[in-house]
Amino acid sequence: MLNLMRGELYKLFKSKCFYVCSIVLVVFVLLIYGMFSLADIVEKEEAAMAGNTGITVSVETNVSEEAPIWEQMGAIDIVQMMFSSMGSLLIAIFAAVFVCGEYTSGAIKNIVGKGYGRGCVFLSKYFSTIVGAVIMELVMLGAILLCELFILHGNRLNGDLVLQLLNYVGIQLILAAAQTGIIVMINQISRSLGAGIAISVCLIMFSSFATTLATALFGYFKLTIVASEYWIIDLISNCPTVNITGELWRHMTMWSAAWIVLTIAVGILHYRKADVK
């Protein structure tokens, strides 16, 4: 098992897809900060011309307030935006390519042919893919913090923000592990690169519609079940950035663990019975 894991980690750090997806995440972070920086410059020029500062926005109290662009979009908001959208999407694409690539290249036949147990082969791929996903999210977080430091000169980096980030990112990494496990299981079953990527992307982008429909259906039968509270993709999207309590940590950890156990069980069961081509 350890030899398999070392081999998978070696392939992970040799994977072009891993580096491409990580670079794309960094580029998206730079684009976000670039666009907001440009908007901030335009805003200040317009304010200077009008003899005013900031821009007027409408808030829930229906009172006009002066709010500079960087006050409207805090660092934690950008972290939430990236983790719940582009982060999830690119991790799904990376996982699909990393898993299905073994079958399209025929490498999996060589591994199984060496006498390794199929369960161990699946687990090594499963956990190495999770390692890749976690590294990608940490790279994305690092890019955001560097942008805060160099573009905004660290003005918004304080103790409260660090505490928020530790809580939010900690939960997101646990959820990312469960999401990656689901993608690994799906691609191990499909074993087709095109189908695997398509299914993975659709799962990230459209599965929330299914949970909304399921919740409505439960409501029709007088059941107070909110499907989005148990589905990983919705948990990632709806994870709050403030007031993260111990109860929230327990809920997120419990359901992440449940999905990890389920995907491992289904993946190993299928892997043992399916032919390796």
Side-chain angles (χ1 to χ4, degrees), residues 162-188:
V162 170
L163 184 60
Q164 268 188 299
L165 285 175
L166 287 175
N167 274 296
Y168 180 76
V169 173
I171 288 178
Q172 285 290 350
L173 292 178
I174 294 172
L175 295 173
Q179 175 203 309
T180 306
I182 294 172
I183 302 299
V184 170
M185 181 199 70
I186 290 172
N187 285 276
Q188 190 274 324

mmCIF file of all heavy atoms in Angstrom, residues 162-188:
data_model
loop_
_atom_site.group_PDB
_atom_site.id
_atom_site.type_symbol
_atom_site.label_atom_id
_atom_site.label_comp_id
_atom_site.label_asym_id
_atom_site.label_seq_id
_atom_site.Cartn_x
_atom_site.Cartn_y
_atom_site.Cartn_z
ATOM 1 N N VAL A 162 -7.773 36.352 9.896
ATOM 2 C CA VAL A 162 -7.041 35.086 9.980
ATOM 3 C C VAL A 162 -7.885 34.020 10.655
ATOM 4 O O VAL A 162 -7.950 32.866 10.208
ATOM 5 C CB VAL A 162 -5.708 35.289 10.738
ATOM 6 C CG1 VAL A 162 -5.061 33.937 11.037
ATOM 7 C CG2 VAL A 162 -4.762 36.161 9.925
ATOM 8 N N LEU A 163 -8.592 34.392 11.729
ATOM 9 C CA LEU A 163 -9.456 33.442 12.428
ATOM 10 C C LEU A 163 -10.599 32.983 11.525
ATOM 11 O O LEU A 163 -10.940 31.792 11.487
ATOM 12 C CB LEU A 163 -10.008 34.080 13.706
ATOM 13 C CG LEU A 163 -10.851 33.173 14.604
ATOM 14 C CD1 LEU A 163 -10.026 31.982 15.072
ATOM 15 C CD2 LEU A 163 -11.393 33.963 15.791
ATOM 16 N N GLN A 164 -11.192 33.944 10.790
ATOM 17 C CA GLN A 164 -12.241 33.594 9.829
ATOM 18 C C GLN A 164 -11.729 32.616 8.784
ATOM 19 O O GLN A 164 -12.398 31.631 8.458
ATOM 20 C CB GLN A 164 -12.743 34.858 9.130
ATOM 21 C CG GLN A 164 -13.935 35.534 9.797
ATOM 22 C CD GLN A 164 -14.474 36.649 8.922
ATOM 23 O OE1 GLN A 164 -13.769 37.621 8.619
ATOM 24 N NE2 GLN A 164 -15.706 36.522 8.511
ATOM 25 N N LEU A 165 -10.541 32.913 8.255
ATOM 26 C CA LEU A 165 -9.965 32.072 7.207
ATOM 27 C C LEU A 165 -9.672 30.663 7.723
ATOM 28 O O LEU A 165 -9.931 29.676 7.035
ATOM 29 C CB LEU A 165 -8.689 32.709 6.658
ATOM 30 C CG LEU A 165 -8.869 33.909 5.733
ATOM 31 C CD1 LEU A 165 -7.519 34.508 5.377
ATOM 32 C CD2 LEU A 165 -9.618 33.517 4.467
ATOM 33 N N LEU A 166 -9.129 30.572 8.929
ATOM 34 C CA LEU A 166 -8.816 29.268 9.489
ATOM 35 C C LEU A 166 -10.067 28.411 9.621
ATOM 36 O O LEU A 166 -10.064 27.216 9.287
ATOM 37 C CB LEU A 166 -8.136 29.423 10.856
ATOM 38 C CG LEU A 166 -6.681 29.921 10.845
ATOM 39 C CD1 LEU A 166 -6.194 30.151 12.269
ATOM 40 C CD2 LEU A 166 -5.787 28.919 10.132
ATOM 41 N N ASN A 167 -11.153 29.011 10.107
ATOM 42 C CA ASN A 167 -12.405 28.278 10.258
ATOM 43 C C ASN A 167 -13.004 27.902 8.915
ATOM 44 O O ASN A 167 -13.351 26.742 8.673
ATOM 45 C CB ASN A 167 -13.409 29.112 11.062
ATOM 46 C CG ASN A 167 -13.258 28.926 12.553
ATOM 47 O OD1 ASN A 167 -13.460 27.847 13.084
ATOM 48 N ND2 ASN A 167 -12.887 29.983 13.237
ATOM 49 N N TYR A 168 -13.103 28.892 8.028
ATOM 50 C CA TYR A 168 -13.759 28.664 6.739
ATOM 51 C C TYR A 168 -12.952 27.708 5.863
ATOM 52 O O TYR A 168 -13.495 26.741 5.321
ATOM 53 C CB TYR A 168 -13.970 29.989 6.016
ATOM 54 C CG TYR A 168 -14.640 29.832 4.674
ATOM 55 C CD1 TYR A 168 -15.999 29.592 4.594
ATOM 56 C CD2 TYR A 168 -13.915 29.911 3.490
ATOM 57 C CE1 TYR A 168 -16.635 29.433 3.369
ATOM 58 C CE2 TYR A 168 -14.533 29.738 2.260
ATOM 59 C CZ TYR A 168 -15.892 29.513 2.213
ATOM 60 O OH TYR A 168 -16.510 29.337 0.994
ATOM 61 N N VAL A 169 -11.665 27.964 5.736
ATOM 62 C CA VAL A 169 -10.822 27.130 4.876
ATOM 63 C C VAL A 169 -10.702 25.716 5.451
ATOM 64 O O VAL A 169 -10.685 24.736 4.704
ATOM 65 C CB VAL A 169 -9.428 27.767 4.688
ATOM 66 C CG1 VAL A 169 -8.499 26.828 3.940
ATOM 67 C CG2 VAL A 169 -9.563 29.091 3.935
ATOM 68 N N GLY A 170 -10.640 25.595 6.771
ATOM 69 C CA GLY A 170 -10.585 24.277 7.382
ATOM 70 C C GLY A 170 -11.784 23.422 7.004
ATOM 71 O O GLY A 170 -11.642 22.251 6.622
ATOM 72 N N ILE A 171 -12.969 24.008 7.095
ATOM 73 C CA ILE A 171 -14.184 23.284 6.704
ATOM 74 C C ILE A 171 -14.173 22.984 5.215
ATOM 75 O O ILE A 171 -14.517 21.875 4.784
ATOM 76 C CB ILE A 171 -15.439 24.107 7.084
ATOM 77 C CG1 ILE A 171 -15.628 24.101 8.597
ATOM 78 C CG2 ILE A 171 -16.686 23.552 6.399
ATOM 79 C CD1 ILE A 171 -16.809 24.910 9.070
ATOM 80 N N GLN A 172 -13.758 23.949 4.404
ATOM 81 C CA GLN A 172 -13.756 23.745 2.958
ATOM 82 C C GLN A 172 -12.799 22.637 2.536
ATOM 83 O O GLN A 172 -13.082 21.888 1.598
ATOM 84 C CB GLN A 172 -13.396 25.051 2.241
ATOM 85 C CG GLN A 172 -14.502 26.089 2.221
ATOM 86 C CD GLN A 172 -15.656 25.692 1.316
ATOM 87 O OE1 GLN A 172 -15.588 24.740 0.560
ATOM 88 N NE2 GLN A 172 -16.750 26.434 1.395
ATOM 89 N N LEU A 173 -11.672 22.495 3.212
ATOM 90 C CA LEU A 173 -10.737 21.426 2.875
ATOM 91 C C LEU A 173 -11.330 20.058 3.189
ATOM 92 O O LEU A 173 -11.139 19.089 2.439
ATOM 93 C CB LEU A 173 -9.418 21.614 3.625
ATOM 94 C CG LEU A 173 -8.563 22.824 3.207
ATOM 95 C CD1 LEU A 173 -7.309 22.915 4.070
ATOM 96 C CD2 LEU A 173 -8.195 22.753 1.731
ATOM 97 N N ILE A 174 -12.064 19.966 4.303
ATOM 98 C CA ILE A 174 -12.730 18.706 4.644
ATOM 99 C C ILE A 174 -13.796 18.378 3.600
ATOM 100 O O ILE A 174 -13.908 17.235 3.138
ATOM 101 C CB ILE A 174 -13.368 18.806 6.043
ATOM 102 C CG1 ILE A 174 -12.275 18.949 7.103
ATOM 103 C CG2 ILE A 174 -14.240 17.588 6.334
ATOM 104 C CD1 ILE A 174 -12.801 19.258 8.494
ATOM 105 N N LEU A 175 -14.573 19.390 3.211
ATOM 106 C CA LEU A 175 -15.607 19.183 2.201
ATOM 107 C C LEU A 175 -15.000 18.846 0.842
ATOM 108 O O LEU A 175 -15.542 18.025 0.092
ATOM 109 C CB LEU A 175 -16.490 20.435 2.091
ATOM 110 C CG LEU A 175 -17.324 20.786 3.321
ATOM 111 C CD1 LEU A 175 -18.010 22.146 3.121
ATOM 112 C CD2 LEU A 175 -18.373 19.718 3.602
ATOM 113 N N ALA A 176 -13.866 19.482 0.530
ATOM 114 C CA ALA A 176 -13.194 19.209 -0.750
ATOM 115 C C ALA A 176 -12.738 17.762 -0.824
ATOM 116 O O ALA A 176 -12.766 17.144 -1.893
ATOM 117 C CB ALA A 176 -12.011 20.150 -0.941
ATOM 118 N N ALA A 177 -12.294 17.213 0.301
ATOM 119 C CA ALA A 177 -11.883 15.805 0.328
ATOM 120 C C ALA A 177 -13.058 14.904 -0.018
ATOM 121 O O ALA A 177 -12.922 13.952 -0.809
ATOM 122 C CB ALA A 177 -11.324 15.455 1.704
ATOM 123 N N ALA A 178 -14.228 15.199 0.557
ATOM 124 C CA ALA A 178 -15.419 14.395 0.268
ATOM 125 C C ALA A 178 -15.865 14.567 -1.181
ATOM 126 O O ALA A 178 -16.231 13.593 -1.851
ATOM 127 C CB ALA A 178 -16.548 14.780 1.219
ATOM 128 N N GLN A 179 -15.829 15.810 -1.680
ATOM 129 C CA GLN A 179 -16.213 16.053 -3.076
ATOM 130 C C GLN A 179 -15.284 15.304 -4.021
ATOM 131 O O GLN A 179 -15.734 14.663 -4.981
ATOM 132 C CB GLN A 179 -16.148 17.545 -3.393
ATOM 133 C CG GLN A 179 -16.424 17.873 -4.861
ATOM 134 C CD GLN A 179 -15.839 19.194 -5.295
ATOM 135 O OE1 GLN A 179 -16.055 20.202 -4.641
ATOM 136 N NE2 GLN A 179 -15.094 19.210 -6.387
ATOM 137 N N THR A 180 -13.993 15.363 -3.741
ATOM 138 C CA THR A 180 -13.020 14.665 -4.587
ATOM 139 C C THR A 180 -13.263 13.163 -4.568
ATOM 140 O O THR A 180 -13.158 12.483 -5.597
ATOM 141 C CB THR A 180 -11.591 14.971 -4.121
ATOM 142 O OG1 THR A 180 -11.402 16.394 -4.077
ATOM 143 C CG2 THR A 180 -10.566 14.366 -5.063
ATOM 144 N N GLY A 181 -13.610 12.642 -3.390
ATOM 145 C CA GLY A 181 -13.911 11.217 -3.288
ATOM 146 C C GLY A 181 -15.078 10.812 -4.166
ATOM 147 O O GLY A 181 -15.053 9.749 -4.812
ATOM 148 N N ILE A 182 -16.101 11.658 -4.215
ATOM 149 C CA ILE A 182 -17.260 11.383 -5.073
ATOM 150 C C ILE A 182 -16.837 11.366 -6.541
ATOM 151 O O ILE A 182 -17.233 10.486 -7.315
ATOM 152 C CB ILE A 182 -18.366 12.434 -4.835
ATOM 153 C CG1 ILE A 182 -18.924 12.305 -3.414
ATOM 154 C CG2 ILE A 182 -19.493 12.285 -5.858
ATOM 155 C CD1 ILE A 182 -19.868 13.414 -3.014
ATOM 156 N N ILE A 183 -16.028 12.339 -6.941
ATOM 157 C CA ILE A 183 -15.565 12.418 -8.326
ATOM 158 C C ILE A 183 -14.695 11.216 -8.681
ATOM 159 O O ILE A 183 -14.808 10.642 -9.775
ATOM 160 C CB ILE A 183 -14.790 13.727 -8.562
ATOM 161 C CG1 ILE A 183 -15.657 14.950 -8.239
ATOM 162 C CG2 ILE A 183 -14.288 13.800 -10.006
ATOM 163 C CD1 ILE A 183 -16.913 15.072 -9.071
ATOM 164 N N VAL A 184 -13.819 10.804 -7.755
ATOM 165 C CA VAL A 184 -12.970 9.634 -7.994
ATOM 166 C C VAL A 184 -13.825 8.395 -8.205
ATOM 167 O O VAL A 184 -13.591 7.606 -9.133
ATOM 168 C CB VAL A 184 -11.987 9.419 -6.824
ATOM 169 C CG1 VAL A 184 -11.272 8.075 -6.961
ATOM 170 C CG2 VAL A 184 -10.961 10.550 -6.767
ATOM 171 N N MET A 185 -14.826 8.205 -7.356
ATOM 172 C CA MET A 185 -15.697 7.035 -7.478
ATOM 173 C C MET A 185 -16.424 7.031 -8.817
ATOM 174 O O MET A 185 -16.472 6.005 -9.514
ATOM 175 C CB MET A 185 -16.719 7.030 -6.349
ATOM 176 C CG MET A 185 -17.674 5.841 -6.373
ATOM 177 S SD MET A 185 -19.172 6.136 -5.404
ATOM 178 C CE MET A 185 -20.014 7.382 -6.403
ATOM 179 N N ILE A 186 -16.974 8.185 -9.208
ATOM 180 C CA ILE A 186 -17.713 8.275 -10.468
ATOM 181 C C ILE A 186 -16.807 7.952 -11.658
ATOM 182 O O ILE A 186 -17.184 7.199 -12.557
ATOM 183 C CB ILE A 186 -18.323 9.687 -10.624
ATOM 184 C CG1 ILE A 186 -19.456 9.879 -9.616
ATOM 185 C CG2 ILE A 186 -18.821 9.921 -12.053
ATOM 186 C CD1 ILE A 186 -19.983 11.292 -9.560
ATOM 187 N N ASN A 187 -15.606 8.498 -11.640
ATOM 188 C CA ASN A 187 -14.696 8.285 -12.775
ATOM 189 C C ASN A 187 -14.107 6.883 -12.786
ATOM 190 O O ASN A 187 -13.788 6.360 -13.854
ATOM 191 C CB ASN A 187 -13.595 9.343 -12.756
ATOM 192 C CG ASN A 187 -14.093 10.693 -13.225
ATOM 193 O OD1 ASN A 187 -14.135 10.960 -14.419
ATOM 194 N ND2 ASN A 187 -14.494 11.540 -12.288
ATOM 195 N N GLN A 188 -13.965 6.296 -11.612
ATOM 196 C CA GLN A 188 -13.495 4.924 -11.566
ATOM 197 C C GLN A 188 -14.552 3.984 -12.164
ATOM 198 O O GLN A 188 -14.216 2.979 -12.790
ATOM 199 C CB GLN A 188 -13.183 4.530 -10.120
ATOM 200 C CG GLN A 188 -12.461 3.205 -9.970
ATOM 201 C CD GLN A 188 -13.410 2.023 -9.922
ATOM 202 O OE1 GLN A 188 -14.499 2.109 -9.371
ATOM 203 N NE2 GLN A 188 -13.012 0.910 -10.518
#
